[in-house]
């Protein structure tokens, strides 16, 4: 079974990326970009705005598709994750929903954090990280 998901690649004015620490499986305790499963009939943009708001308390404007990855899940599930660039339009960052924590991270910090598998390589490969 394939499960459609979205993720948000968000940077602040200081070129720091917004990460959430997962509070539940899969990836509990690991850091990743905010996002999650789409609800039935939900568009990518609507789902992304909802997921970012639920996990971080931030409102975003959805930009272009950064890229797509597929990740294995339990019981033969495959998560198809479409990650979009997004820009904050309002709100104050605060962990919510299934996020244990939320923070802005410089690219130098990414190598020191326990990230979800393949996140750093994927973002680097897509060319979305600041240099």
């Amino acid at each position: 079974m394939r499960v459609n998901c979205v993720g948000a690649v968000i940077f602040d004015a200081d070129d720091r990326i917004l990460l959430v620490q997962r509070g539940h499986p899969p990836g509990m305790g690991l850091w990743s970009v905010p996002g999650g499963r789409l609800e039935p009939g939900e568009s990518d943009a609507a789902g992304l705005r909802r997921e970012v708001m639920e996990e971080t308390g931030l409102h975003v404007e959805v930009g272009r598709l950064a890229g797509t990855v597929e990740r294995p899940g339990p019981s033969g599930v495959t998560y198809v994750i479409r990650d979009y660039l997004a820009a904050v339009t309002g709100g104050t960052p605060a962990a919510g929903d299934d996020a244990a924590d939320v923070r802005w991270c410089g690219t130098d910090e990414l190598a020191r954090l326990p990230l979800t598998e393949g996140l750093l390589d994927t973002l680097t490969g897509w060319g979305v990280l600041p240099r």
Side-chain angles (χ1 to χ4, degrees), residues 101-125:
D101 199 2
V102 61
R103 67 189 278 191
W104 293 102
C105 296
T107 53
D108 58 323
E109 295 175 79
L110 295 178
R112 295 191 303 267
L113 286 174
L115 301 175
T116 55
E117 183 179 345
L119 179 65
L120 185 55
D121 289 339
T122 298
L123 295 175
T124 300

Side-chain angles (χ1 to χ4, degrees), residues 1-2 4 12 14 16 19 31 33-35 37 61-62 76 83 87 94 99 110 112-113 115 124:
M1 181 170 87
R2 296 170 68 78
N4 286 312
D12 69 4
D14 295 321
R16 297 177 302 170
L19 296 180
W31 292 87
V33 297
R37 297 178 186 176
E61 179 180 318
V62 180
D83 287 326
L110 295 178
R112 295 191 303 267
L113 286 174
L115 301 175
T124 300

Side-chain angles (χ1 to χ4, degrees), residues 20-32 98 100 113-116:
V20 294
Q21 186 179 38
R22 299 287 175 205
H24 302 286
M28 184 173 168
L30 300 177
W31 292 87
S32 190
D98 65 348
L113 286 174
L115 301 175
T116 55

Side-chain angles (χ1 to χ4, degrees), residues 34-119:
R37 297 178 186 176
L38 291 177
E39 295 179 353
E42 189 174 42
S43 71
D44 283 6
L48 191 72
R49 287 189 297 269
R50 176 184 53 76
E51 284 289 343
V52 171
M53 172 53 91
E54 288 174 358
E55 291 187 354
T56 71
L58 297 172
H59 298 278
V60 295
E61 179 180 318
V62 180
R64 72 168 176 85
L65 179 69
T68 302
V69 296
E70 294 189 7
R71 296 285 184 243
S75 304
V77 166
T78 298
Y79 296 109
V80 180
I81 308 163
R82 291 179 294 280
D83 287 326
Y84 291 85
L85 297 178
V88 174
T89 59
T92 302
D97 194 31
D98 65 348
D101 199 2
V102 61
R103 67 189 278 191
W104 293 102
C105 296
T107 53
D108 58 323
E109 295 175 79
L110 295 178
R112 295 191 303 267
L113 286 174
L115 301 175
T116 55
E117 183 179 345
L119 179 65

